[in-house]
Amino acid sequence: NPTYTREPHAGQEERYWYSHRRQSHTHTHPRHTQKHCHHFASLLHTYQRETKKIERIMEEATDDVTLNIYQLEPDDETIQQHSAAVGFFTRILTPMGMGAYHTSLTVRSHTYSFGAGAGIVKTQPTHEQTPPGATYHSSIFLGSALNATNANISQIILKLRTYFHGTSYHLLNRNCNHFTETFALCLLHSAQDLCLGKAKLLKKYPGWVNRLAKNGTSFINHGDVCDPLEEAKAAIGAEEIMAKESFENMSSSNSGKKEEKKKKKSGGKKELSEKQKAVLAKLKQSK
């Protein structure tokens, strides 16, 4: 019969050593084996849960571009802390169709917004950060994005940060609504549409969202005012794309002209095939 001896080691598993027919074997204590099994099962469960979450997000990710609108209705305490102008604009000018609104844009399961200090912020729709006193108003489907890969969207956002950074925010000249309009132009229209300006762009984007700021800049000149169309063109490199396409068209046109010249020089004659040449040679020999 095998003989067992217990040999505990500090900080290590307890091992039971036994010898039988001049052979030594090591057995892990059953208590530790069970603990390791539970730990592995927990890790496996976590991995499966996170994998399903990622798959669900990828399934829900669509090319739909949605505008989220929030009405700014701050209370008295918020007005004192932030801006009395916002309260005035909302309470007095809202009945005139010139209320204060905050907007964000959702595409590919992420929401993008622009604010003072933070600049452009990317969050999941359920974790969107809204200004103090903002209440949800509505969501509007603007259309389906063109080439809405995550890499393409990240590249557009990177270029938009040139214009929309934390210190560039201005209530009238460059606000969250200017950003969502510019970003939507980048996503929904091609370089050709933007350069030719034929998209009367963003037909579904409501004009009343940013009417307050646009009317304000017409009376008060505070310097550099956001031009969504021009900044969208710059963000997607529209002019460079059009220049490249124009160059390619010119190259193909020139090559076509060269082919026409060759045909004219040859008198417009078609080259004979090998079979035709062989038949012609036989006819000449028979003569």
Side-chain angles (χ1 to χ4, degrees):
N1 294 329
T3 58
Y4 292 85
T5 58
R6 182 179 179 184
E7 186 179 348
H9 296 275
Q12 299 180 358
E13 298 176 350
E14 293 181 357
R15 301 179 183 276
Y16 286 81
W17 300 79
Y18 70 94
S19 59
H20 182 63
R21 293 182 181 179
R22 298 180 181 178
Q23 294 182 0
S24 297
H25 301 273
T26 303
H27 285 262
T28 305
H29 194 285
R31 183 173 68 253
H32 295 285
T33 302
Q34 186 178 12
K35 181 180 179 181
H36 291 157
C37 288
H38 283 307
H39 181 62
F40 176 77
S42 177
L43 290 176
L44 181 62
H45 177 70
T46 302
Y47 171 77
Q48 292 174 340
R49 185 180 68 247
E50 294 300 321
T51 301
K52 289 181 180 179
K53 185 186 296 184
I54 293 173
E55 290 176 352
R56 185 173 64 254
I57 291 174
M58 294 302 295
E59 289 176 357
E60 294 174 354
T62 66
D63 295 340
D64 293 350
V65 180
T66 304
L67 179 71
N68 309 301
I69 305 173
Y70 299 84
Q71 188 164 6
L72 298 175
E73 295 180 344
D75 53 23
D76 294 336
E77 182 179 354
T78 304
I79 292 173
Q80 292 176 2
Q81 292 178 352
H82 296 276
S83 174
V86 173
F88 170 77
F89 289 148
T90 303
R91 295 174 180 175
I92 305 300
L93 299 182
T94 296
M96 301 169 58
M98 294 174 61
Y101 298 93
H102 167 77
T103 58
S104 63
L105 210 63
T106 299
V107 62
R108 301 292 294 176
S109 296
H110 286 96
T111 296
Y112 300 83
S113 59
F114 172 62
I120 298 175
V121 178
K122 172 185 175 182
T123 60
Q124 292 185 354
T126 54
H127 295 86
E128 181 182 358
Q129 298 178 357
T130 57
T135 56
Y136 176 76
H137 182 279
S138 59
S139 292
I140 300 175
F141 170 70
L142 299 180
S144 296
L146 305 176
N147 302 321
T149 62
N150 292 332
N152 188 36
I153 292 174
S154 297
Q155 188 66 22
I156 291 173
I157 290 295
L158 181 63
K159 293 183 177 179
L160 285 178
R161 290 187 192 277
T162 304
Y163 305 100
F164 297 92
H165 49 84
T167 58
S168 69
Y169 182 90
H170 190 280
L171 183 63
L172 299 180
N173 294 353
R174 187 175 298 277
N175 58 39
C176 56
N177 304 319
H178 288 113
F179 165 72
T180 53
E181 184 178 357
T182 305
F183 189 28
L185 286 171
C186 295
L187 295 173
L188 297 172
H189 295 291
S190 65
Q192 184 178 11
D193 287 343
L194 295 179
C195 286
L196 298 179
K198 66 180 183 181
K200 253 223 182 170
L201 303 159
L202 300 181
K203 296 178 181 178
K204 295 184 179 180
Y205 194 101
W208 47 265
V209 165
N210 209 26
R211 184 177 297 158
L212 175 62
K214 291 180 179 179
N215 288 340
T217 53
S218 63
F219 292 103
I220 306 172
N221 184 6
H222 283 289
D224 183 30
V225 179
C226 175
D227 186 335
L229 177 58
E230 291 301 319
E231 293 180 11
K233 286 165 60 177
I236 68 170
E239 293 182 353
E240 290 82 355
I241 293 173
M242 293 298 292
K244 183 179 179 181
E245 290 180 355
S246 177
F247 177 77
E248 291 175 351
N249 291 335
M250 288 178 61
S251 299
S252 61
S253 177
N254 291 335
S255 62
K257 289 179 180 179
K258 288 180 181 178
E259 291 295 328
E260 289 180 3
K261 287 181 179 180
K262 287 182 180 179
K263 289 181 180 179
K264 287 181 180 180
K265 286 182 180 180
S266 62
K269 296 180 180 179
K270 296 181 178 179
E271 293 186 4
L272 297 176
S273 64
E274 294 298 327
K275 289 184 178 180
Q276 290 174 334
K277 289 179 180 179
V279 172
L280 185 60
K282 288 181 179 179
L283 289 174
K284 289 180 178 180
Q285 289 177 358
S286 62
K287 289 180 180 180

